Amino acid sequence: MPQPAPGRRAVLAAAAAAAPAAVLGLSAPATAAPPTGNTPTGKTTGGKTPAGRTTAGKKPRLLPGGGDLGPNVLVFEPSTPNIQARLDEVFRQQESAQFGTGRYALLFKPGTYQGLNAQLGFYTSIAGLGLSPDDTTLNGDVTVDAGWFNGNATQNFWRSAENLALVPANGTNRWAVAQAAPFRRMHVRGGLNLSPTGYGWASGGYIADSRIDGQVGPYSQQQWYTRDSAIGSWLNGVWNMVFSGVQGAPAQSFPNPPYTTLDTTPVSREKPFLYVSGSEFRVFLPEKRTNARGVTWGNGTPRGTSLPLSQFYVARPGVTAATLNQALAQGLHLLLTPGIYHLDQPIQVNRAGTVVLGLGYATLVPDNGVTALKTADVGGVRLAGLLIDAGPVNSATLLEVGPGGATRDHSANPTTVQDVFVRIGGAGAGRATTSMVINSRHTIVDHTWVWRADHGTGVGWETNRADYGVVVNGDDVLCTGLFVEHFNKYDVQWNGQRGRTIFFQNEKAYDAPNQAAIQNGSVKGYAAYKVGDAVTTHEGWGLGSYCYYNVDPAIVQHSGFAAPNRPGVRFHDLLVVSLGGNGQYEHVINDTGSPTQGTSTTPSTVVSYP
């Protein structure tokens, strides 16, 4: 198949700016065939949330658990009429609404559906409601393509597919996505094509706990991470293809072909998911696995526990942070239905085992410089399916997992941060000094995209200032699928001991005005991934950093990676790339690795360090 020269989304950022930012209202309420009894007995709220008002001398009224999932969750069953028309209606609204306000979850009850093509636009999640993907079969496709952007898939962000079996109409399903677009717990009874029609540019994504019976064809995808899955075969690689715990993965061969293959994933715990049991919604909590390989759902009931919806506060946009915190204090979990939630104080998770699950890219916006969400130093917290959007007043941090100085051992029951995405600017003015801080030990960050916007509105070197993307202070933290881009200083700064990262994708900030703006003392530029000088043990596999200094192409970056040079700090399969000669790297890691040169996009690689 043709292999186009890799390019980046910034090349066509002007075209993206022309995409509609406003969201059209659907012509009718977006509800379809809600399951019978989806409001648990005794918990009827009619979709309305009591405010939990306090009067003198009285305790706040208890908030109810359970309730209706709201107008932007569309629930289908095989007998629902006009499913395709509903899907098409949402897609027309969301296809090019990159920075719009629409948020949707498309949920399919168990059964078999015929002849559907669910095209997914921005902020749209599709999922089955069975315990196994094979409980819900779509004879048809779940499609992501790039017609809205002239065949360029590098901006196909913020959409997801989960817990479905697909029988593609032509034998191969098309899933041409970029960052923040997970493909989880899927069974494709055929092949999977990760490129757009015409094999245009595509910039990388994530698959987990999925089975693809046929071939996966990344074609023009520049990098990709696949975890704990099973595939028939894998076609090719461009720069950086990483596999851990994947049956059928290609053998280790980096850099030619650029495959980094780990037989197992050291620790993993799949994302919580909504399902139906009889007439009741429940949330399944998969159990932790060590040295994991293959899918979790292949043989009978998956291993884990479940919670009834009555144990969740079902939140709607417009609810206050105080009400969310009251629900948590009552012992409820949080289910955030699709929409945008403005916060004037942090959501504070203090109870071990708390679940905060977002549907349809539920979005948290701190309005007054607060942190959006904080957890105490407790085990087993599950944060999943959220977009955190920086507000116009600078926040010191946006997400804090554990307080500073956290030291408790959570190895038996770690906190997981899964499909939690952070954005600084793009949808409007936004600022944050540090986006994500991980202080609790043994935390697993499983698929995140932390992005200082390079296009959209509210974008500029100082306009959406954000110095640090992810800062890890806790010991024994594992990142699987770490995407962090465009920060003014270090994209990742890792201070904790015994940290591990499997797959890292980075671009340095495009918009640095000159060499002086990125000078780091005597060092040219801040590394994309910096391991602290006091760290004695750290390991990473399959890490890539790219530069595209399009304001001043003469900028030189000393290295993509920086770390103490000691035996316990080890890296495998590193690369740096200059995109079209817009900036150059002198080395890959520290003073090791050849410089990038000229306008080619040929990576400079280091197979093992030190």
Side-chain angles (χ1 to χ4, degrees), residues 221-232:
Q221 286 283 359
Q222 294 156 345
Q223 67 276 318
W224 199 277
Y225 177 49
T226 308
R227 177 182 65 71
D228 298 353
S229 294
I231 62 176

Side-chain angles (χ1 to χ4, degrees), residues 250-267:
Q252 168 72 31
S253 57
F254 186 90
N256 187 27
Y259 298 146
T260 297
T261 303
L262 287 73
D263 190 57
T264 61
T265 304
V267 187

Side-chain angles (χ1 to χ4, degrees), residues 26 58 84 141 220 295 308 370 375 417 450 483 495 535 571 575:
L26 287 175
K58 294 184 179 180
Q84 187 65 55
D141 296 84
S220 53
V295 301
V370 300
T375 77
V417 181
V450 181
F483 299 72
N495 301 316
V535 172
F571 288 92
L575 70 111

Side-chain angles (χ1 to χ4, degrees), residues 94-264:
Q94 299 300 114
E95 180 184 12
S96 57
Q98 181 172 178
F99 297 113
T101 57
R103 304 286 187 274
Y104 290 92
L106 313 173
L107 305 182
F108 287 77
K109 294 178 70 175
T112 300
Y113 299 77
Q114 301 292 344
L116 295 180
N117 181 18
Q119 300 181 82
L120 299 188
F122 287 96
Y123 314 110
T124 305
S125 298
I126 188 170
L129 289 172
L131 265 180
S132 165
D134 289 329
D135 293 341
T136 311
T137 299
L138 269 60
N139 283 301
D141 296 84
V142 172
T143 301
V144 177
D145 208 343
W148 74 278
F149 202 40
N150 301 313
N152 177 353
T154 61
Q155 291 184 23
N156 281 348
F157 314 136
W158 305 307
R159 63 203 76 197
S160 67
E162 298 184 52
N163 205 29
L164 291 165
L166 304 179
V167 183
N170 69 353
T172 300
N173 189 78
R174 185 180 301 279
W175 185 255
V177 298
Q179 288 76 14
F183 195 82
R184 287 185 180 271
R185 200 178 175 77
M186 295 288 286
H187 185 187
V188 181
R189 299 176 191 165
L192 188 64
N193 181 347
L194 303 179
S195 72
T197 300
Y199 304 97
W201 297 336
S203 66
Y206 171 93
I207 293 171
D209 199 24
S210 293
R211 181 180 297 278
I212 293 89
D213 293 346
Q215 184 175 75
V216 180
Y219 298 103
S220 53
Q221 286 283 359
Q222 294 156 345
Q223 67 276 318
W224 199 277
Y225 177 49
T226 308
R227 177 182 65 71
D228 298 353
S229 294
I231 62 176
S233 61
W234 190 272
L235 179 63
N236 73 293
V238 177
W239 291 338
N240 190 32
M241 304 282 149
V242 180
F243 308 84
S244 67
V246 178
Q247 297 167 344
Q252 168 72 31
S253 57
F254 186 90
N256 187 27
Y259 298 146
T260 297
T261 303
L262 287 73
D263 190 57
T264 61

Side-chain angles (χ1 to χ4, degrees), residues 547-559:
C547 72
Y548 187 82
Y549 288 116
N550 60 349
V551 175
D552 182 1
I555 289 175
V556 174
Q557 177 85 22
H558 179 71
S559 64

